[in-house]
Amino acid sequence: ETGVTQSPTHLIKTRGQQVTLRCSSQSGHNTVSWYQQALGQGPQFIFQYYREEENGRGNFPPRFSGLQFPNYSSELNVNALELDDSALYLCASSLDHDRGNTEAFFGQGTRLTVV
Amino acid sequence: LAKTTQPISMDSYEGQEVNITCSHNNIATNDYITWYQQFPSQGPRFIIQGYKTKVTNEVASLFIPADRKSSTLSLPRVSLSDTAVYYCLVGAWMDSSYKLIFGSGTRLLVRP
C-alpha cells in the first residue's frame, strides 16, 4: 500500500470522447508524475507537476493535459480519445525539492479502454 | 537524445544472485538513477536509487560507474517472489524540457 490512490480503476470510453483521471498523492508529497503504460511495454512519461506547475513533459500531444491542486492531488485529462490511448495510466507521487528523479510511489493505475 | 537499454529477459534459479544492467546516455547531470519492480496489474514499486558508485539497501545493491552511462541492479539470493519486470528510470533534458525515461524493462523469471 503506497498511499497513492487513483480513480477510477477501470474505464471504457468511445473514440472522440474526453476523459479525466484522478490521483491522490501520498501525504506530504508535492510532486506528481503521470505515465501511460501500454500492454507489455514500459511506462511512458506524460508530464510531471511540482507545486501546481508543470515542470516536465514527455512526447505526448497537447490533448493530454493535467492539473495539480493546492492539496497536491492531480488530474490527467485526455481529449479527443483515440484507440491507441487504450492503456494503463499510472500516477506517482514524490517529495522533490526541485526537478528530479527521486523515490516515487505509484498508484495501482487506471485501465482505460477506448472503443 | 537520451535513451535507455535493458535486456529483455533473464532467467535465474532460487538462491542465485542476479545482475541487471541498464545503459543510459545523456542523462541529467544532477539526477538520481532509480530502479523499480513491477508485478502484473500493479504499479511499479521502488527498489533502490543512487547517484554514483555503490548503494545498498535491505533488498538490493546498485552499482553506478563514474561516467554514469550505465547502472547495474544486483539482487542477492533471489526467490520465486522476485519474478517480475524490472525497470531503470532516469531523467534527461531533451528539446528544452525535462523528461523521465523508463527503460524497456527486464522480465526476470526465477525458477525453483
Side-chain angles (χ1 to χ4, degrees):
Chain A
E1 194 67 41
T2 64
V4 178
T5 305
Q6 292 188 242
S7 62
T9 55
H10 295 82
L11 196 56
I12 299 175
K13 287 287 194 177
T14 303
R15 189 171 52 181
Q17 285 188 314
Q18 179 266 342
V19 69
T20 297
L21 309 182
R22 294 179 173 83
C23 175
S24 293
S25 300
Q26 187 169 72
S27 178
H29 283 185
N30 56 17
T31 302
V32 66
S33 304
W34 284 90
Y35 298 85
Q36 179 194 69
Q37 187 173 27
L39 206 57
Q41 305 292 317
Q44 297 295 309
F45 176 62
I46 303 176
F47 42 58
Q48 182 179 72
Y49 279 81
Y50 169 64
R51 296 192 174 192
E52 302 178 60
E53 296 288 329
E54 183 181 293
N55 74 340
R57 189 174 181 94
N59 300 325
F60 281 80
R63 59 189 185 86
F64 286 78
S65 63
L67 278 175
Q68 187 181 31
F69 300 100
N71 66 354
Y72 301 136
S73 65
S74 176
E75 285 182 356
L76 164 65
N77 299 289
V78 187
N79 294 322
L81 283 167
E82 300 176 0
L83 297 180
D84 284 350
D85 295 334
S86 295
L88 181 68
Y89 288 84
L90 295 161
C91 83
S93 76
S94 58
L95 181 59
D96 292 333
H97 298 289
D98 201 339
R99 292 183 180 85
N101 171 16
T102 59
E103 179 179 358
F105 295 84
F106 281 80
Q108 293 287 82
T110 294
R111 172 73 61 188
L112 173 65
T113 303
V114 182
V115 298
Chain B
L1 189 69
K3 184 180 176 183
T4 58
T5 305
Q6 297 179 234
I8 294 173
S9 63
M10 297 182 71
D11 276 17
S12 183
Y13 290 93
E14 277 190 297
Q16 288 189 329
E17 178 184 76
V18 170
N19 296 307
I20 306 173
T21 296
C22 176
S23 299
H24 33 72
N25 56 1
N26 297 322
I27 64 174
T29 305
N30 297 323
D31 255 16
Y32 290 102
I33 297 161
T34 311
W35 282 79
Y36 289 85
Q37 175 193 56
Q38 188 176 29
F39 297 110
S41 301
Q42 293 187 22
R45 185 174 72 98
F46 174 87
I47 302 173
I48 196 167
Q49 177 177 78
Y51 183 71
K52 59 173 135 180
T53 64
K54 178 183 174 182
V55 178
T56 298
N57 63 19
E58 62 275 11
V59 299
S61 294
L62 181 59
F63 301 91
I64 304 169
D67 66 6
R68 295 182 12 105
K69 292 188 176 182
S70 66
S71 58
T72 299
L73 172 71
S74 181
L75 303 172
R77 299 178 300 281
V78 294
S79 63
L80 297 177
S81 62
D82 292 321
T83 293
V85 181
Y86 292 83
Y87 295 98
C88 61
L89 174 63
V90 298
W93 285 89
M94 292 188 289
D95 303 323
S96 302
S97 179
Y98 177 75
K99 301 180 193 297
L100 288 167
I101 304 167
F102 267 93
S104 50
T106 298
R107 190 171 300 274
L108 173 65
L109 174 62
V110 180
R111 301 176 188 274

